[in-house]
Amino acid sequence: MMSPFLKYGLASASLALSLGVVSCTPDAGDPGVEYAPEMYESIPYEPLRQISFNTVNPFGINERDPAIGTIPRGKLAYFDHIPKDSVRIAERVLQNPYPYTKANIEEGQVLFTRYCQHCHGEGGKGDGPVGQKFKGVPNYATGAYKTMNDGHIYHVIEWGRNRMMPHGSQVNPEERWKIAMYVHVLQLNNDPADLPKLVKVNAPVPVTSATEGNASVMTDGLNQKAEGQAGTNKESATPGQGNTKGRNGRM
């Protein structure tokens, strides 16, 4: 007669072997039979993870679209409330709130290299590796592109234009303005390594003492004369500092 210990031991071993065979699966992504799956998969709805069709929400997903017209907390500055196709409005309304300092322009150069150079090229001539392949990337130093102002550049970075995709989700507002500063360097057809002092007529904030180099006065798109500003800068220039030259026209 088989002892109880041996009898129940064989039964337990058979059950364990059966469960092991059933739980095995050739699919590496399928865990097979799980013990207490609620330990792994949440019973309450999680917005970014689900394993089954949600019968309550649209499209069967747990995550729901935000209410129309709402903006995520902390993201108000990401949106300027100017429609994507209204770049002319952006030219007139948007103003760069940051001073044209050497540090800001250098940061703009770093950001341009990171996000823009692959299409627009190191010198902004539209000859980056992507621009060479797909064509149609403009040269900042020619035609109407040479007169784009800060608001225009900021808006195009945010929303994109023509074949350029929007970068608003990749580049925050402060970074967009600094990229716009560096684009002005390329509009002047300067060597990217030579960061000039940019004095902006009607700027919302004054140029700080951190700015270095020769001055290149640029207007804000209103075609206002810069001679008065240039004369003021010339009188206040310190020995060894270059004179300020006026540049008319739209940015």
Side-chain angles (χ1 to χ4, degrees), residues 119-133:
C119 286
H120 291 279
E122 183 179 2
K125 301 183 185 302
D127 56 355
V130 178
Q132 291 180 13
K133 180 175 179 62

Side-chain angles (χ1 to χ4, degrees), residues 44-204:
Y45 291 142
E46 293 186 356
L48 301 179
R49 178 173 173 81
Q50 66 184 95
I51 59 173
S52 60
F53 187 89
N54 187 319
T55 59
V56 177
N57 289 342
F59 309 110
I61 62 176
N62 289 341
E63 189 174 20
R64 306 202 72 173
D65 292 334
I68 297 175
T70 58
I71 296 175
R73 180 173 297 176
K75 299 292 184 180
L76 182 62
Y78 272 71
F79 303 91
D80 52 37
H81 306 289
I82 297 176
K84 61 181 297 185
D85 297 325
S86 300
V87 67
R88 299 306 173 194
I89 297 177
E91 287 180 346
R92 299 192 303 269
V93 173
L94 299 181
Q95 289 189 330
N96 195 332
Y98 297 96
Y100 272 67
T101 64
K102 186 173 186 292
N104 283 343
I105 296 172
E106 286 178 337
E107 185 175 348
Q109 181 182 17
V110 172
L111 294 166
F112 181 91
T113 302
R114 185 178 301 162
Y115 294 104
C116 315
Q117 183 172 308
H118 52 280
C119 286
H120 291 279
E122 183 179 2
K125 301 183 185 302
D127 56 355
V130 178
Q132 291 180 13
K133 180 175 179 62
F134 294 100
K135 312 300 181 183
V137 182
N139 184 340
Y140 290 139
T142 61
Y145 299 103
K146 192 169 184 176
T147 60
M148 295 185 303
N149 68 3
D150 287 10
H152 182 117
I153 300 168
Y154 180 97
H155 190 77
V156 172
I157 293 173
E158 179 182 2
W159 291 108
R161 196 175 189 196
N162 298 327
R163 297 175 65 186
M164 176 179 166
M165 299 298 291
H167 287 63
S169 62
Q170 304 172 43
V171 186
N172 68 43
E174 179 180 348
E175 292 172 335
R176 298 173 206 165
W177 288 122
K178 291 178 179 179
I179 291 175
M181 293 180 188
Y182 184 67
V183 169
H184 290 321
V185 176
L186 303 180
Q187 286 175 324
L188 295 173
N189 206 19
N190 287 327
D191 187 323
D194 179 23
L195 300 176
K197 175 182 178 182
L198 298 178
V199 178
K200 191 179 175 190
V201 176
N202 296 324

